[in-house]
Amino acid sequence: MSPPPKTPTASTPATTAPTAPTGAGSPPGSTTPTATTAPPGLTTAPPSLTPPAPLPRTTALPGPPNIARSLATRRTGAIPGLLYRPAAPADPVKAAEVDRRLEAWARALDLFPPAWRGDFSGFQFGRAVVLQHPGALDLERLTVAGQLLLAENLVDSCYCEEDEGRGGSRLGLGGPLVLAQSAIDPFAGPAELEAEWREGVQADGPLRSYHWSVRDFAAFATPSQTDRFVHDIARLHLGYLAEAAWSETRYLPRVWEYLVMRQFNNFRPCLSIVDAVDGYELPEQLYARPEIQRITALACNATTIVNDLYSFTKELASDPEHLNLPQVVARNEGHGLKAAYLKSVEIHNRVMEAFETESAALSATSPLVERYARSLATWVSGNHEWHATNAHRYHLPDYW
Amino acid sequence: MSPPPKTPTASTPATTAPTAPTGAGSPPGSTTPTATTAPPGLTTAPPSLTPPAPLPRTTALPGPPNIARSLATRRTGAIPGLLYRPAAPADPVKAAEVDRRLEAWARALDLFPPAWRGDFSGFQFGRAVVLQHPGALDLERLTVAGQLLLAENLVDSCYCEEDEGRGGSRLGLGGPLVLAQSAIDPFAGPAELEAEWREGVQADGPLRSYHWSVRDFAAFATPSQTDRFVHDIARLHLGYLAEAAWSETRYLPRVWEYLVMRQFNNFRPCLSIVDAVDGYELPEQLYARPEIQRITALACNATTIVNDLYSFTKELASDPEHLNLPQVVARNEGHGLKAAYLKSVEIHNRVMEAFETESAALSATSPLVERYARSLATWVSGNHEWHATNAHRYHLPDYW
């Protein structure tokens, strides 16, 4: 499985400054047709060789405000041709403090298998959430965002991943995942069976991590925001189960089917907490509206496809059959991997543009929606920064 | 799989009056310790032989009002010792009209595989929803409730059930179910891939049935109510996938694990529409509160366990390994099936009592919550009536 929640938990820390793995040359916006019409603050990483085909744009987009345009300088680690908004750099002191609190929490709950002891510093949860939630109301909320991220990674890594040697299995995965869901969506029944369930969901680290992180989240989130998260974890589990099923049956999904699965096996649970972490609420009546659901899905899909693009060489090296977007495009359309990769960058850019256009239009209708769309965009930027600067984890293919 | 949505779609119509399959003798409430302290309107079916052990009650409960106590007459088809509230009889004219509209809808959308042509009358969707939603605002909403029920049955029957010869498969089930979920939780991406997705979810009857029934539901439900349904279908799919996984790996769940799975593979999507069908809304801020989630889960679990009890002999006959509550109790606790069945009735009664107690307490706090709790209770009653009178589908074991 290539689940997004796993991504921000590099087991090798990026301790050195990012370097340019490929020959990114010219300043942003200077070489591609897309860049010349890009919305303000939206950057196209400069391609060094064959830029993707021009992306049709109907209009120049204002994009979410308050994106620091001054930061739109040359990005050395970014994928050439990729549309993205630069992120504010992570405050290393804040990141270290979040990591300290997270580690204390994880140790207190005995979350990690014995083999993992000592590994904590490699995860970079603190840096991830500091990049993703620059507007977090306080360190407590940032830490809870980190707890949720850690929990998502733990469930994925211990239950879903077969090749990580932690007992995960695609076969029969539906069993552990429904019990995991129950750790955040409580069982209701006769008292003595509820007691057995309570004991059961405390008996394993991944279940404990789900249970206690959501309990901490619910302490400041509204019941609606908590229910939103529970729904998004159900979506995530459905995505894991679809990916496991296709892997088991060696089914090659069509590109749209792959992207549908990836809309479920998706960063969404990380993004849909943005308002709670920032200390406000997009009221559920607004959140549930189809157009808000749509910009949420677009932001989540853009940032999830970014994960496919940055982890492409890593996944290819560990499992040449592993499904990710370039692979699925290549195998469906008879392209070579390079052409499929460049087409995948284009697919990402189209999703990113749709998010920018549609969120700008909706933002004009309500200050709360504007704030929410900005929080989503900021998370997407921070997650891109995490990927682009994580040179120890990701290496771009030699396609430019 | 033994999914609840399948239950109300008998392929053999119950066209004759229900008969007593077992020797139910005395009037309700006259023979068991539970019945003497039962809340008003709540009936204990008279056991003819060995009643379950007395159920501890802390107080006599008022129970939801407006339950027609005058209907609490002797129930011939009910499981001896089972706690239930009698339902208002279904209006056969209304049921026939819903069936007529449903059939027209299903034919127009070409929902059924060719082999099913002519089978429609056997399903009894109309009678099911008329029993379950006696307070439906109008026939249109009742028909949409029937559409949703039909869609849930179609997905289950065509994708999940291996032994119905419609191509269902436990192996790889995660793939079809994530695409099915996307039929009601739309994909967002580049326009041409969205067009392929739209075509894809129109290409198969089960997907069309999900898509169009939810579109019709959303025409009168609020976005919050629609999102609630989408979440509940995600829960249902997780339950299907857990059941399929355990079947594939031949895992014997503990009783609490089985009941957790059954809280997901559950009638919940049918119950959580009760307010929309009746023409009001329990606002999402209330619905999302843990105590409202809890009474919702209790009602849904009570009525889902009723399904296990009534379908026990049918499932045993078709697959002796099929997991249902009495089987799981028997295999975990070394009981014979009879003792396990009687214990399962007791488990049901405890869940039913918890629902009654807790919903009564919450109902005192808000007229809207009272109305919602009453709608849930009414659905539970109607569903019991459907099971208890469906003598052509269900036969009780000879345990009394």
Side-chain angles (χ1 to χ4, degrees), chain A residues 147-184:
Chain A
Q147 291 172 202
L148 295 169
L149 187 59
L150 191 158
E152 289 151 19
N153 277 270
L154 208 54
V155 169
D156 176 44
S157 183
C158 295
Y159 291 172
C160 306
E161 293 285 350
E162 292 199 330
D163 50 6
E164 297 194 6
R166 292 170 196 129
S169 169
R170 286 162 194 152
L171 178 70
L173 182 58
L177 286 187
V178 89
L179 298 182
Q181 187 74 25
S182 87
I184 61 172

Side-chain angles (χ1 to χ4, degrees), chain A residues 94 98 126 129-146 220 273-280 371 375 378-379:
Chain A
K94 201 184 265 187
V98 171
V129 296
V130 167
L131 279 169
Q132 292 154 358
H133 301 280
L137 185 68
D138 51 38
L139 265 172
E140 286 65 38
R141 293 181 189 223
L142 209 46
T143 304
V144 171
F220 61 80
I273 62 171
V274 287
D275 55 342
V277 174
D278 284 3
Y280 67 99
R371 188 173 184 191
S375 298
T378 306
W379 199 97

Side-chain angles (χ1 to χ4, degrees), chain B residues 244-261:
Chain B
W246 288 343
S247 164
E248 204 175 347
T249 60
R250 306 186 71 76
Y251 175 72
L252 173 66
R254 281 168 283 179
V255 176
W256 72 266
E257 291 176 322
Y258 175 79
L259 286 174
V260 163
M261 179 279 285

Side-chain angles (χ1 to χ4, degrees), chain B residues 26-370:
Chain B
S26 46
S30 67
T31 54
T32 63
T34 51
T36 56
T37 52
L42 192 63
T43 295
T44 306
S48 61
L49 191 54
T50 47
L55 304 180
R57 286 174 193 272
T58 53
T59 176
L61 308 171
N66 294 345
I67 296 288
R69 299 187 193 183
S70 63
L71 293 170
T73 54
R74 175 179 164 184
R75 305 291 323 163
T76 49
I79 292 168
L82 191 83
L83 284 178
Y84 67 94
R85 284 182 182 273
D91 175 347
V93 176
K94 202 186 264 188
E97 175 59 17
V98 171
D99 269 340
R100 192 191 64 74
R101 293 181 184 203
L102 276 181
E103 180 160 9
W105 178 75
R107 299 276 176 231
L109 286 175
D110 192 21
L111 295 187
F112 299 119
W116 286 13
R117 291 197 183 286
D119 269 7
F120 191 88
S121 63
F123 280 105
Q124 288 206 84
F125 289 116
R127 181 160 180 270
V129 296
V130 168
L131 280 169
Q132 292 153 357
H133 302 279
L137 185 68
D138 51 37
L139 265 172
E140 286 65 38
R141 294 182 188 222
L142 209 46
T143 303
V144 171
Q147 290 172 203
L148 294 169
L149 187 59
L150 190 158
E152 289 150 20
N153 277 270
L154 207 54
V155 168
D156 175 45
S157 183
C158 294
Y159 290 173
C160 306
E161 293 285 351
E162 291 198 329
D163 50 6
E164 297 196 4
R166 292 168 195 131
S169 170
R170 286 164 195 152
L171 178 72
L173 182 58
L177 286 187
V178 89
L179 299 181
Q181 187 74 24
S182 87
I184 61 172
D185 191 358
F187 170 62
E192 62 279 14
L193 287 163
E194 280 186 14
E196 289 180 39
W197 160 76
R198 260 191 296 275
E199 201 175 314
V201 296
Q202 296 301 325
D204 198 17
L207 302 178
R208 282 195 298 281
S209 70
Y210 261 5
H211 180 83
W212 293 102
S213 59
V214 170
R215 199 206 57 163
D216 289 350
F217 180 67
F220 61 81
T222 66
S224 298
Q225 288 172 319
T226 305
D227 190 61
R228 190 198 296 179
F229 181 81
V230 171
H231 186 173
D232 284 342
I233 291 291
R235 287 182 165 109
L236 180 62
H237 289 171
L238 286 177
Y240 287 164
L241 289 162
E243 190 178 37
W246 288 343
S247 164
E248 204 175 347
T249 60
R250 306 186 71 76
Y251 175 72
L252 173 66
R254 281 168 283 179
V255 176
W256 72 266
E257 291 176 322
Y258 175 79
L259 286 174
V260 163
M261 179 279 285
R262 209 68 175 100
Q263 181 167 311
F264 288 85
N265 181 357
N266 192 286
F267 280 115
R268 182 169 176 142
C270 303
L271 279 90
S272 65
I273 61 171
V274 286
D275 54 342
V277 173
D278 283 2
Y280 67 99
E281 180 178 22
L282 180 73
E284 198 276 344
Q285 294 93 321
L286 271 174
Y287 175 76
R289 295 189 61 82
E291 61 274 25
I292 304 291
Q293 288 295 298
R294 185 169 158 83
I295 61 164
T296 303
L298 286 168
C300 295
N301 288 350
T303 200
T304 299
I305 296 173
V306 157
N307 176 255
D308 274 35
L309 296 171
Y310 278 96
S311 56
F312 171 71
T313 55
K314 177 172 168 287
E315 292 178 348
L316 196 65
S318 70
D319 173 10
E321 298 288 299
H322 189 94
L323 292 182
N324 62 27
L325 185 56
Q327 278 275 13
V328 171
V329 169
R331 291 169 64 188
N332 271 279
E333 304 185 2
H335 291 321
L337 281 175
K338 175 179 169 180
Y341 191 94
L342 297 178
K343 179 161 183 184
S344 300
V345 172
E346 187 188 336
I347 289 172
H348 164 272
N349 289 353
R350 298 287 297 278
V351 177
M352 188 72 177
E353 288 175 316
F355 168 67
E356 294 273 336
T357 315
E358 298 183 30
S359 64
L362 288 176
S363 293
T365 66
S366 148
L368 258 176
V369 170
E370 185 277 324

